[in-house]
DNA sequence: AATGAATGAGCTTTCATTCAT
DNA sequence: GATGAATGAAAGCTCATTCAT
């Protein structure tokens, strides 16, 4: 909240309020989209959950698709900028991957609906034209791949890892982490405290890193 | 076809015809569900593609959900029985995984829509109550996990692999393979022959096995 | 009805029935559009009046605009073909105008809603994109003007009428007749029998012809 | 403006300001109604164009209908009073008609939106209850007809014109002039200067008078 | 058994009107 | 007085399901 106020100092009170309300709607909508998907989420659901009238939503967004796209754009944007930070900070590939996984653990714990939406993204893209055409998302994919590949190539050069096909590893990592974490979330969903969930995620993260780098074979 | 006739010897001609028509509908529907998702597929689409009237579909299935659920049930059933076969045949975990991946490569190549539906399954489950409640699917998950775990535990006992948490590996494997193969399919979608696709899948399969067992670290 | 059957001999029973239902809907819709205008006519109104469900209308027409456009297209088409007939039959301009007015009187009496829709056409065009873009309507305007102008030019050549600007007369005639007849219809709307209405229209038609050709000045 | 001040001398400053703002709104709204029609004009459009808030409009008018009705009332009032003036000034019917047409030419040129609204009036009346019930409009129609008829009857008595049915001529004139002028406006809409438009209107007016009084037949 | 015309509940979206500020 | 955010009734349209043929 303080960050929000800081960032938007130069706006009028009205404008800030408007932004805050947009946030609220996006937040509520993200939760719904995350659990029910795009088609499963009715505009009325968003209205009710955000405690606005149906019509009011249209004062803040052009239509349902736009709400969805804006959420996805924000999420991918955030994720990309974090990726860049971690990329700069880390030296070895192993460090990079470890830190990224730490971030993802945090991410899943803090904003589960964002996580779920990213998880669904590939599937939903088919149904939502504007998502398919979103420049932000296209850019995110391209940039993220670039960062990963440069890290891998460097690691190969530095003899940190074997000579592998960078593309393969990028795909593998991307497809592994998100669904893996998701499984953790849903498998033990009911009987678990928030704390335990986090512990499980951390453990899962460690397992992923260990397996990717050393394999499971007896050495 | 011969297998079908063999299996249903004891049925009357009418009954066999009825079953065959059900198959046709399920086949066509699977293709549509696979590419467009449950909500994106209209009953009219299925009717057109299967060259039946819309009303006719209701002579074979209670409703749209039922068609979906039956497809998923069949796919998971098939997959589970194959899993059992491979489990019996294979000695080491590595063998088991390798053979399973070979099967999956084949599976993706031969029945892509079944593959795509399994891929979507987790997401669609939220939207389709009957899928969530399907006993077949629940059983599939339980049995598959059981097979995997026993294989892993055996491998640990035989010192084939390190002492890992079997649950973790099951999840990792499951979440890795399907999305990974999917990425292969869509990434190079346009410029590739069927043959090349298969080659890519085989290569991807090898990479997965290699990484899982040996990791990517320089040895 | 007999004409309809004759025309569509080669169609199947189903196809004929479908066409008949389309007619019914168009007929009912024309009545509503004629009195309430495009915006004032709700789809539900058409559904109720035609005794179909809302959804059924969409089995026959793409959307509300399409219903409107098809009606207008049919009306202008009919009117144009009649115009051509009269043009061929008549020798002098006076004959042409007289016969045309006779036809219009008939037209107003027989299909009042068609008449009213033509009357509104210019105004509605602004609101309905498909009407504005309709080739049928454009063609109708061009052809009708052409016919009128050639008749006038001939009359001038034959010294039947003074040297007037043909464009002016076309506009004058077009803008005069329809609103004039409309006034007749609404002015005495309530207290009049159908027969009397027709008599009034005939009288009005005579007055128009007399005035246009001879003026009202004392000779 | 001076006239306005003069007329409302006895009002307080506040009251005068209020009236002026009402004028502004009406003026802007008339423009919109004239081009887009009643349904096509959104209250928001009027608010934006008049540079008032949407809510403010409701301080000056009860609702959208009222704005429309007041505009129409004013226009018909003005037109009626001018009609009376011209009626008094003119001696023969021909003079009366000529002067009236001169006035209409001016009217079209000066306040096109008023002209367009009058043109649409008959059609819009069906949709807007308050217009249908407006006493001002009813009175306008009655009075205007009265003036015309007395002029015509006088002309007949003075042997200026043939013995015609006054009602017929009133209707004819009313329905002729407005749509005719409208055609002039839209037909040459794009390629013409304001000056040329006026010239065209004058010419059209002359043609109308000539035709009405002398007809087009060769003498 | 096969059909597809008919249906209406349910969806997204619009917009005149209200009302707290 | 002035405002525009909030509202929800009402609109057009979709589509799973029914049912007479």
């Amino acid at each position: 909240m303080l960050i929000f106020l800081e960032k938007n100092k130069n706006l009028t009170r009205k404008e800030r309020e408007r932004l805050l309300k947009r946030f609220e709607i996006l937040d509520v909508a993200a939760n719904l989209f995350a659990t029910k998907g795009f088609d499963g989420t009715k505009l009325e659901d968003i209205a009710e959950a955000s405690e606005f009238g149906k019509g009011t939503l249209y004062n803040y967004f052009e239509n349902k698709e736009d709400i969805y796209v804006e959420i996805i754009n924000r999420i991918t944007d955030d994720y990309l900028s974090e990726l860049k930070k971690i990329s700069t900070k880390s030296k070895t590939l192993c460090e990079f991957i470890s830190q990224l996984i730490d971030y993802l653990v945090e991410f899943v714990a803090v904003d589960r609906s964002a996580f779920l939406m990213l998880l669904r993204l590939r599937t939903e893209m088919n149904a939502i034209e504007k998502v398919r055409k979103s420049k932000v998302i296209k850019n995110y994919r391209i940039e993220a791949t670039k960062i990963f590949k440069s890290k891998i190539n460097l690691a190969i050069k530095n003899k940190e890892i074997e000579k592998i096909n960078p593309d393969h590893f990028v795909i593998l990592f991307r497809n592994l982490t998100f669904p893996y974490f998701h499984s953790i979330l849903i498998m033990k969903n009911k009987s678990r405290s928030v704390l335990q969930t986090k512990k499980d995620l951390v453990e899962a993260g460690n397992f992923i890193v260990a397996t990717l780098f050393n394999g499971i074979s007896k050495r």
Side-chain angles (χ1 to χ4, degrees), chain A:
Chain A
M1 184 56 170
L2 285 177
I3 296 172
F4 172 80
L5 291 176
E6 188 62 25
K7 258 193 190 170
N8 300 289
K9 243 192 233 175
N10 52 331
L11 299 180
T12 64
R13 183 179 57 77
K14 284 228 165 169
E15 286 169 326
R16 271 194 317 266
E17 274 176 13
R18 189 178 161 78
L19 276 180
L20 273 176
K21 279 174 194 163
R22 272 179 71 93
F23 276 150
E24 271 181 70
I25 295 168
L26 290 172
D27 192 42
V28 155
N31 272 309
L32 293 165
F33 284 140
T35 45
K36 302 177 170 192
F38 183 75
D39 284 324
T41 302
K42 306 305 161 198
L43 214 103
E44 187 123 34
D45 299 339
I46 304 178
E48 259 174 46
S50 63
E51 293 176 89
F52 283 109
K54 243 182 310 172
T56 310
L57 300 188
Y58 285 86
N59 291 334
Y60 291 93
F61 301 94
E62 290 247 312
N63 52 38
K64 195 179 147 188
E65 272 202 352
D66 266 17
I67 301 180
Y68 191 90
V69 173
E70 180 151 347
I71 296 170
I72 291 287
N73 283 353
R74 281 167 185 271
I75 294 173
T76 49
D77 246 15
D78 287 356
Y79 185 62
L80 186 58
S81 78
E82 190 63 30
L83 207 60
K84 281 177 185 164
K85 269 192 226 155
I86 294 172
S87 164
T88 314
K89 256 196 328 215
S90 61
K91 282 172 193 152
T92 62
L93 179 66
C94 184
E95 227 181 284
F96 174 65
I97 296 288
S98 300
Q99 285 177 24
L100 182 54
I101 281 187
D102 288 348
Y103 167 64
L104 284 175
V105 168
E106 205 58 35
F107 180 65
V108 172
V110 169
D111 191 352
R112 190 175 299 191
S113 47
F115 167 74
L116 291 171
M117 286 187 74
L118 276 186
L119 190 72
R120 275 169 180 277
L121 184 53
R122 200 188 299 125
T123 317
E124 300 274 34
M125 276 178 74
N126 290 320
I128 312 170
E129 216 199 341
K130 280 184 191 163
V131 173
R132 219 169 26 244
K133 292 189 177 166
S134 161
K135 280 180 194 167
V136 178
I137 294 172
K138 269 184 202 157
N139 178 54
Y140 150 70
R141 296 186 155 244
I142 293 169
E143 288 296 314
T145 306
K146 216 184 279 179
I147 292 170
F148 263 90
K149 278 169 88 167
S150 75
K151 277 284 166 191
I152 293 165
N153 281 324
L154 194 67
I156 293 174
K157 213 175 108 191
N158 294 342
K159 316 238 163 165
E160 184 193 350
I161 61 169
E162 297 278 341
K163 254 189 194 161
I164 59 169
N165 181 332
D167 283 319
H168 281 181
F169 187 76
V170 174
I171 301 171
L172 187 144
F173 181 80
R174 181 182 295 159
N175 289 307
L176 170 58
T177 326
F178 276 81
Y180 192 102
F181 280 177
H182 186 223
S183 285
I184 301 287
L185 288 180
I186 55 174
M187 270 184 62
K188 314 198 171 169
N189 200 11
K190 284 157 201 173
S191 56
R192 239 175 359 163
S193 68
V194 175
L195 226 85
Q196 183 58 38
T197 303
K198 185 128 179 217
K199 225 185 101 191
D200 289 339
L201 288 171
V202 170
E203 202 182 318
N206 291 336
F207 180 70
I208 293 175
V209 175
T211 305
L212 287 181
F213 281 87
N214 302 317
I216 58 173
S217 290
K218 192 78 180 175
R219 270 170 306 270

